[in-house]
Amino acid sequence: MRKLIAAALASAALPVALAAGPAAAEVVHIGAPSSAISSAVYVSADHDILYVSGITPPQTNPDAPAGTLAEFGDTKTQTIGILKRIEGILKDQGLTMGDVVMMRVYLVGDPDKGGKMDFAGMMEGYKMFFGTPEQPNKPARVTMQVASLVAPKMLAEIEVQAAKKK
């Protein structure tokens, strides 16, 4: 039985290895050019991967009462603040936003949007960093609504993985 499983795995891996071909030494973003994200991102084994923990927004208004929406801003403002923080973390490691290959976005329902996540606001901030003429790369991404984050009125948290050739 083990030999059968090993043979099946070996034959299944062969087409994948052959399909990788010249992309084996690259990062390849797969998807429609008009899409805001990549459908998939292929990263070859000759890359280092940096995992950035979930980053929350900076306080944008220190004079606002703690635990209020005014303390952190709306979803767009929070997204921009988070992505700037991530950009700084990447820079400290010799990476750029163009090296981001995977992103997970956690959004809390916005009370001003009837408790629904403000996907449009997140996208406005996101598009300032990805798919621009200056930085055309787009990561694979998942966006989900969660019940809450670590502090009241935080509406967004983002984690990323970035890859850079060794």
Side-chain angles (χ1 to χ4, degrees):
M1 182 62 131
R2 286 185 184 171
K3 286 183 183 180
L4 223 67
I5 293 171
L9 289 174
S11 66
L14 184 58
V16 173
L18 292 174
E26 301 175 26
V27 172
V28 179
H29 295 263
I30 302 162
S34 61
S35 178
I37 63 173
S38 292
S39 300
V41 179
Y42 175 84
V43 179
S44 65
D46 64 343
H47 285 71
D48 288 323
I49 306 292
L50 176 69
Y51 295 86
V52 180
S53 293
I55 303 298
T56 55
Q59 184 185 45
T60 56
N61 183 357
D63 297 328
T68 65
L69 194 56
E71 182 180 16
F72 298 105
D74 61 10
T75 300
K76 177 182 176 182
T77 301
Q78 291 189 29
T79 299
I80 293 167
I82 292 166
L83 292 175
K84 284 182 179 179
R85 282 182 157 178
I86 290 172
E87 189 172 49
I89 292 167
L90 294 172
K91 184 178 179 184
D92 289 347
Q93 300 305 313
L95 298 159
T96 70
M97 293 299 253
D99 297 313
V100 174
V101 295
M102 182 64 196
M103 175 183 287
R104 288 173 193 83
V105 180
Y106 306 92
L107 298 176
V108 172
D110 186 335
D112 293 339
K113 306 275 183 202
K116 294 181 180 179
M117 68 178 182
D118 182 7
F119 183 76
M122 184 279 297
M123 284 300 294
E124 286 181 47
Y126 169 88
K127 287 181 177 181
M128 295 172 64
F129 295 85
F130 298 97
T132 67
E134 303 79 31
Q135 197 298 95
N137 292 339
K138 299 172 270 189
R141 188 189 77 207
V142 62
T143 305
M144 66 202 89
Q145 182 169 335
V146 296
S148 64
L149 294 170
V150 69
K153 302 307 178 194
M154 283 186 174
L155 300 175
E157 182 171 344
I158 301 173
E159 65 174 292
V160 301
Q161 288 81 50
K164 187 165 185 171
K165 192 169 180 100
K166 293 182 182 180

